[in-house]
Amino acid sequence: MAEEEAGLLCTERYSAHRSRRYFQLHDGQLLRRSERGTEATQSVADVFTSVFLPQGYPDSVSDDYVSYQIWDTVQAFASSITGTLATQAILKGVGVGDTTATVTAASITWILKDGTGMVGRILFAWSKGSTLDCDAKKWRLFADVLNDVAIFMEIVAPAFPPAFTLIVCVSGVFKSIVGVAGGATRAALTMHQARRDNMADVSAKDGSQVLPLSPPSPPHSPPLIPPLRSPSEVGALRVRKSFNGGGGHRVVQHRVFGAGSLGDRWSILPGLLVSLILTPLVAANIILTYLLYTLFTLLHLYANLRAVRAVVMDTLNQSRLRLLVTDFLRTGRVPLPSSINPREPVLPEFQRKLTIRLGTSLNSVLHR
């Protein structure tokens, strides 16, 4: 072997599946050898890594990346199923299957729902936008809990016809808040996970990981479809539409795809199969709808709690600073982030907050 007659100069490795070794031969020539052969001989695990994980994994992401992404994918799947249940309820409430319902009434309901959601999005971003990144874990959990509340309101809305429009409008406001809080906290978590200025790659691969488990979702505007006999037929039409490149939208757990996008193709995997099975079963069984909502909501909340607990932020916010100072005063040693983060509160706390103002004018100090 040539390696036996040469000296190893260095080993070059990028990501978990690309490794090369360089040798210097006795005649001064440089020999390069790949440890895993050509690209055609890569294993299934290597292909999976290159498709679903950021380039350079695991060196290009934080140590908590895998644990967080596993639980994040589980919660996205559970939330997608409850979203399917809510979609059927909303379509039933706007008149699908009711011969007396009109397109005008359904359009007005949808316009009011979207309009109030836009107002709620603006007001929430104005009031809480500056605090979403420093308390990303707390607001992430808040967004998912509020999303479950909004889905529950949509499921029960058809049971209260006089208040249907009001209920779906409040639900629209909640989902708009979820969209703001979820998007902002996701950006903060992506910035934490990206260790090589690869935020775009980390964010894109996060979408690829969630898509195979998410069923297709309905349009955000009133569906222009021919009269159908039942909401279950709407579900079947929505499933068939995904094969023809239909678009979809969701808040936090859903994503926007253009016609014929890659997301529509990936959606025909486990999430689509579960959606196909559940759609005819829950169409006329409200008890089964409530049971499935309860089970998948519990799974959704548990997975979200595990996901935010898995994140080990290496920056300080007010909660982590308080824990760090307390430990330092008690032990005389600065604790590691891995010991501070599991104790960070992710649920709302009812306690007095310390207000610190930087750059306060002398006039305001003299008049206090």
Side-chain angles (χ1 to χ4, degrees):
M1 294 289 291
E3 292 89 342
E4 297 177 355
E5 302 177 359
L8 177 63
L9 294 179
C10 63
T11 300
E12 180 185 52
R13 185 180 65 180
Y14 186 71
S15 80
H17 60 276
R18 296 182 183 178
S19 181
R20 297 183 180 92
R21 295 194 300 172
Y22 295 86
F23 301 87
Q24 184 178 10
L25 301 179
H26 293 305
D27 57 2
Q29 295 182 354
L30 186 65
L31 176 66
R32 184 189 68 179
R33 287 194 176 274
S34 176
E35 291 186 353
R36 296 201 178 188
T38 62
E39 295 290 334
T41 60
Q42 288 184 354
S43 64
V44 176
D46 294 336
V47 176
F48 179 87
T49 300
S50 62
V51 171
F52 290 103
L53 296 176
Q55 189 177 30
Y57 172 86
D59 300 323
S60 62
V61 293
S62 58
D63 295 335
D64 54 12
Y65 178 81
V66 173
S67 57
Y68 172 81
Q69 291 301 127
I70 289 175
W71 289 110
D72 183 58
T73 303
V74 172
Q75 70 84 21
F77 172 73
S79 184
S80 297
I81 300 302
T82 57
T84 300
L85 303 177
T87 298
Q88 280 202 323
I90 289 294
L91 292 175
K92 180 179 179 181
V94 298
V96 175
D98 185 0
T99 56
T100 63
T102 63
V103 175
T104 302
S107 300
I108 292 175
T109 300
W110 229 277
I111 291 172
L112 291 174
K113 177 178 180 293
D114 289 350
T116 53
M118 293 176 185
V119 174
R121 174 187 295 268
I122 294 173
L123 294 178
F124 180 76
W126 167 64
S127 61
K128 297 295 183 181
S130 61
T131 64
L132 296 177
D133 53 349
C134 58
D135 291 319
K137 292 192 283 187
K138 183 181 297 184
W139 282 110
R140 165 63 193 272
L141 191 61
F142 166 82
D144 285 292
V145 172
L146 189 62
N147 185 64
D148 290 333
V149 174
I151 290 176
F152 176 75
M153 295 179 65
E154 292 178 347
I155 291 176
V156 302
F160 304 94
F164 177 82
T165 301
L166 176 62
I167 294 175
V168 296
C169 286
V170 175
S171 171
V173 173
F174 286 173
K175 285 197 170 184
S176 296
I177 295 174
V178 169
V180 175
T185 55
R186 180 61 219 168
L189 293 175
T190 302
M191 183 181 299
H192 158 71
Q193 292 174 336
R195 297 304 169 125
R196 289 183 176 174
D197 295 328
N198 56 337
M199 284 186 58
D201 188 26
V202 173
S203 180
K205 294 303 173 62
D206 173 65
S208 299
Q209 294 163 17
V210 174
L211 288 177
L213 295 179
S214 299
S217 51
H220 198 52
S221 56
L224 301 178
I225 56 178
L228 299 174
R229 292 189 295 272
S230 67
S232 62
E233 294 189 13
V234 175
L237 175 66
R238 182 164 55 87
V239 169
R240 290 196 298 271
K241 185 178 180 182
S242 67
F243 288 93
N244 296 325
H249 173 78
R250 70 181 174 98
V251 180
V252 174
Q253 72 272 17
H254 296 160
R255 286 171 171 78
V256 180
F257 304 114
S261 67
L262 179 62
D264 295 319
R265 274 65 180 174
W266 276 114
S267 295
I268 59 173
L269 292 172
L272 175 59
L273 297 178
V274 175
S275 182
L276 282 170
I277 295 173
L278 293 181
T279 296
L281 294 178
V282 302
N285 193 335
I286 190 64
I287 296 179
L288 180 60
T289 299
Y290 291 149
L291 178 61
L292 291 174
Y293 169 80
T294 302
L295 293 177
F296 281 103
T297 298
L298 291 176
L299 175 61
H300 177 243
L301 295 176
Y302 175 75
N304 269 294
L305 184 60
R306 291 295 301 270
V308 297
R309 287 297 188 191
V311 177
V312 180
M313 304 290 284
D314 50 11
T315 57
L316 292 176
N317 60 4
Q318 188 175 11
S319 299
R320 291 191 288 271
L321 177 61
R322 184 175 64 250
L323 293 171
L324 185 146
V325 173
T326 301
D327 285 5
F328 178 76
L329 294 177
R330 186 176 62 250
T331 63
R333 294 191 301 270
V334 178
L336 298 175
S338 57
S339 64
I340 292 294
N341 278 267
R343 292 182 288 153
E344 179 185 359
V346 294
L347 298 176
E349 294 180 286
F350 299 96
Q351 62 182 14
R352 183 179 179 182
K353 293 186 177 180
L354 177 63
T355 301
I356 301 176
R357 292 187 176 91
L358 299 178
T360 303
S361 65
L362 179 62
N363 180 65
S364 61
V365 175
L366 296 177
H367 289 81
R368 291 183 64 86

